[in-house]
Short mmCIF file of all heavy atoms in Angstrom, two decimals:
data_model
loop_
_atom_site.label_atom_id
_atom_site.label_comp_id
_atom_site.label_asym_id
_atom_site.label_seq_id
_atom_site.Cartn_x
_atom_site.Cartn_y
_atom_site.Cartn_z
N GLN M 39 -22.08 -44.65 134.96
CA GLN M 39 -23.00 -45.72 135.00
C GLN M 39 -22.41 -46.77 135.95
O GLN M 39 -21.41 -47.39 135.70
CB GLN M 39 -23.07 -46.38 133.45
CG GLN M 39 -23.99 -47.52 133.33
CD GLN M 39 -24.17 -47.84 131.85
OE1 GLN M 39 -23.22 -47.88 131.09
NE2 GLN M 39 -25.45 -48.08 131.45
N GLY M 44 -28.38 -47.70 135.12
CA GLY M 44 -28.57 -46.81 133.94
C GLY M 44 -27.49 -45.69 133.97
O GLY M 44 -26.66 -45.56 134.66
N TRP M 47 -26.29 -38.36 134.46
CA TRP M 47 -25.62 -37.15 134.13
C TRP M 47 -24.98 -36.51 135.27
O TRP M 47 -25.55 -36.35 136.39
CB TRP M 47 -26.61 -36.19 133.47
CG TRP M 47 -26.00 -34.96 133.00
CD1 TRP M 47 -25.42 -34.62 131.85
CD2 TRP M 47 -26.03 -33.56 133.67
NE1 TRP M 47 -25.04 -33.35 131.66
CE2 TRP M 47 -25.44 -32.72 132.83
CE3 TRP M 47 -26.56 -33.26 134.90
CZ2 TRP M 47 -25.24 -31.39 133.23
CZ3 TRP M 47 -26.36 -31.87 135.26
CH2 TRP M 47 -25.78 -30.99 134.47
N TYR M 60 -23.26 -28.51 137.45
CA TYR M 60 -23.11 -29.83 138.02
C TYR M 60 -24.41 -30.42 138.56
O TYR M 60 -25.30 -29.69 138.95
CB TYR M 60 -22.13 -29.74 139.20
CG TYR M 60 -20.75 -29.31 138.84
CD1 TYR M 60 -20.04 -28.34 139.62
CD2 TYR M 60 -20.05 -29.73 137.69
CE1 TYR M 60 -18.79 -27.88 139.38
CE2 TYR M 60 -18.71 -29.34 137.47
CZ TYR M 60 -18.22 -28.35 138.19
OH TYR M 60 -16.88 -27.89 137.89
N TYR M 95 -18.02 -41.78 131.60
CA TYR M 95 -17.93 -41.45 130.28
C TYR M 95 -17.85 -39.92 130.04
O TYR M 95 -18.51 -39.16 130.82
CB TYR M 95 -19.18 -41.84 129.42
CG TYR M 95 -19.35 -43.37 129.40
CD1 TYR M 95 -20.32 -43.95 130.16
CD2 TYR M 95 -18.69 -44.10 128.40
CE1 TYR M 95 -20.52 -45.31 130.06
CE2 TYR M 95 -18.89 -45.44 128.29
CZ TYR M 95 -19.82 -46.09 129.22
OH TYR M 95 -20.07 -47.44 129.07
N VAL M 104 -26.15 -27.61 127.90
CA VAL M 104 -26.21 -29.10 127.70
C VAL M 104 -27.23 -29.31 126.48
O VAL M 104 -28.21 -28.66 126.43
CB VAL M 104 -26.80 -29.75 128.90
CG1 VAL M 104 -27.03 -31.25 128.69
CG2 VAL M 104 -25.89 -29.56 130.11
N ALA M 105 -26.78 -30.14 125.57
CA ALA M 105 -27.59 -30.44 124.38
C ALA M 105 -27.35 -32.00 124.17
O ALA M 105 -27.13 -32.73 125.12
CB ALA M 105 -27.08 -29.70 123.25
N GLU M 106 -27.52 -32.47 122.93
CA GLU M 106 -27.37 -33.86 122.65
C GLU M 106 -25.85 -34.16 122.84
O GLU M 106 -25.02 -33.37 122.68
CB GLU M 106 -27.76 -34.23 121.35
CG GLU M 106 -26.94 -33.79 120.10
CD GLU M 106 -27.09 -32.39 119.69
OE1 GLU M 106 -27.73 -31.58 120.42
OE2 GLU M 106 -26.61 -32.03 118.62
N PHE M 107 -25.56 -35.49 123.13
CA PHE M 107 -24.20 -36.01 123.28
C PHE M 107 -23.94 -36.77 122.00
O PHE M 107 -24.31 -37.90 121.86
CB PHE M 107 -24.09 -36.90 124.55
CG PHE M 107 -24.48 -36.19 125.69
CD1 PHE M 107 -25.14 -36.93 126.78
CD2 PHE M 107 -24.36 -34.77 125.97
CE1 PHE M 107 -25.57 -36.39 127.98
CE2 PHE M 107 -24.70 -34.17 127.17
CZ PHE M 107 -25.36 -35.00 128.12
N TRP M 110 -18.94 -40.03 122.14
CA TRP M 110 -18.68 -40.50 123.49
C TRP M 110 -17.23 -41.05 123.54
O TRP M 110 -16.62 -41.61 122.57
CB TRP M 110 -19.65 -41.55 123.94
CG TRP M 110 -21.10 -40.99 124.04
CD1 TRP M 110 -21.92 -40.56 123.05
CD2 TRP M 110 -21.83 -41.07 125.29
NE1 TRP M 110 -23.09 -40.29 123.57
CE2 TRP M 110 -23.10 -40.59 124.92
CE3 TRP M 110 -21.60 -41.40 126.58
CZ2 TRP M 110 -24.17 -40.37 125.88
CZ3 TRP M 110 -22.63 -41.27 127.54
CH2 TRP M 110 -23.84 -40.79 127.18
N GLY M 111 -16.59 -40.90 124.75
CA GLY M 111 -15.39 -41.63 125.04
C GLY M 111 -15.57 -43.09 125.29
O GLY M 111 -16.82 -43.51 125.29
N TYR V 36 -30.57 -42.52 122.80
CA TYR V 36 -29.32 -43.29 122.61
C TYR V 36 -29.56 -44.82 122.70
O TYR V 36 -30.45 -45.24 123.33
CB TYR V 36 -28.38 -42.93 123.78
CG TYR V 36 -28.21 -41.44 123.97
CD1 TYR V 36 -29.03 -40.59 124.64
CD2 TYR V 36 -27.11 -40.79 123.23
CE1 TYR V 36 -28.83 -39.20 124.65
CE2 TYR V 36 -26.83 -39.40 123.33
CZ TYR V 36 -27.75 -38.71 124.08
OH TYR V 36 -27.63 -37.33 124.10
N GLN V 38 -27.39 -48.29 123.69
CA GLN V 38 -26.24 -48.87 124.31
C GLN V 38 -26.15 -50.44 124.29
O GLN V 38 -27.05 -51.00 124.82
CB GLN V 38 -26.05 -48.32 125.80
CG GLN V 38 -24.64 -48.79 126.36
CD GLN V 38 -24.57 -48.34 127.87
OE1 GLN V 38 -25.50 -48.21 128.61
NE2 GLN V 38 -23.29 -47.99 128.35
N SER V 43 -19.94 -48.01 124.71
CA SER V 43 -20.50 -46.57 125.10
C SER V 43 -21.79 -46.45 124.37
O SER V 43 -22.06 -46.95 123.26
CB SER V 43 -19.45 -45.51 124.55
OG SER V 43 -18.15 -45.81 125.03
N PRO V 44 -22.60 -45.49 124.97
CA PRO V 44 -23.82 -45.21 124.24
C PRO V 44 -23.63 -44.49 122.92
O PRO V 44 -22.55 -43.89 122.78
CB PRO V 44 -24.53 -44.20 125.28
CG PRO V 44 -23.93 -44.51 126.59
CD PRO V 44 -22.51 -44.91 126.26
N TYR V 50 -33.26 -33.85 119.37
CA TYR V 50 -34.27 -32.98 119.34
C TYR V 50 -35.60 -33.59 118.85
O TYR V 50 -36.30 -33.21 117.78
CB TYR V 50 -33.91 -31.70 118.54
CG TYR V 50 -32.91 -30.96 119.27
CD1 TYR V 50 -31.53 -31.04 118.86
CD2 TYR V 50 -33.18 -30.24 120.48
CE1 TYR V 50 -30.47 -30.29 119.58
CE2 TYR V 50 -32.16 -29.61 121.18
CZ TYR V 50 -30.88 -29.66 120.77
OH TYR V 50 -29.97 -28.99 121.43
N TYR V 87 -32.01 -45.35 125.94
CA TYR V 87 -32.21 -44.23 126.86
C TYR V 87 -32.68 -43.00 126.22
O TYR V 87 -32.22 -42.58 125.15
CB TYR V 87 -30.83 -43.91 127.55
CG TYR V 87 -30.35 -45.09 128.36
CD1 TYR V 87 -29.41 -45.97 127.93
CD2 TYR V 87 -30.63 -45.22 129.74
CE1 TYR V 87 -28.87 -47.04 128.70
CE2 TYR V 87 -30.22 -46.32 130.56
CZ TYR V 87 -29.23 -47.15 129.98
OH TYR V 87 -28.74 -48.09 130.78
N HIS V 89 -33.05 -38.65 126.96
CA HIS V 89 -32.17 -37.78 127.77
C HIS V 89 -32.67 -36.40 127.43
O HIS V 89 -33.10 -36.12 126.13
CB HIS V 89 -30.76 -37.83 127.25
CG HIS V 89 -29.87 -36.59 127.42
ND1 HIS V 89 -29.21 -36.14 126.37
CD2 HIS V 89 -29.69 -35.86 128.44
CE1 HIS V 89 -28.66 -34.96 126.78
NE2 HIS V 89 -28.91 -34.78 128.02
N SER V 91 -32.46 -32.14 127.57
CA SER V 91 -31.52 -31.05 127.63
C SER V 91 -32.19 -29.65 127.77
O SER V 91 -31.70 -28.69 127.48
CB SER V 91 -30.50 -30.97 126.55
OG SER V 91 -31.17 -30.83 125.19
N LEU V 95 -29.68 -28.81 133.93
CA LEU V 95 -29.22 -29.99 134.58
C LEU V 95 -29.86 -31.14 133.81
O LEU V 95 -31.10 -31.43 133.80
CB LEU V 95 -29.78 -30.07 136.13
CG LEU V 95 -29.35 -28.86 136.93
CD1 LEU V 95 -29.88 -28.97 138.28
CD2 LEU V 95 -27.79 -28.80 136.88
N GLY V 96 -29.02 -31.91 133.03
CA GLY V 96 -29.53 -32.91 132.17
C GLY V 96 -30.01 -34.15 132.96
O GLY V 96 -29.51 -34.37 134.07
#
Side-chain angles (χ1 to χ4, degrees):
Chain M
Q39 186 170 37
W47 180 81
Y60 300 136
Y95 296 101
V104 178
E106 77 277 13
F107 305 147
W110 294 64
Chain V
Y36 304 86
Q38 186 181 32
S43 303
Y50 294 102
Y87 294 93
H89 154 235
S91 62
L95 306 179

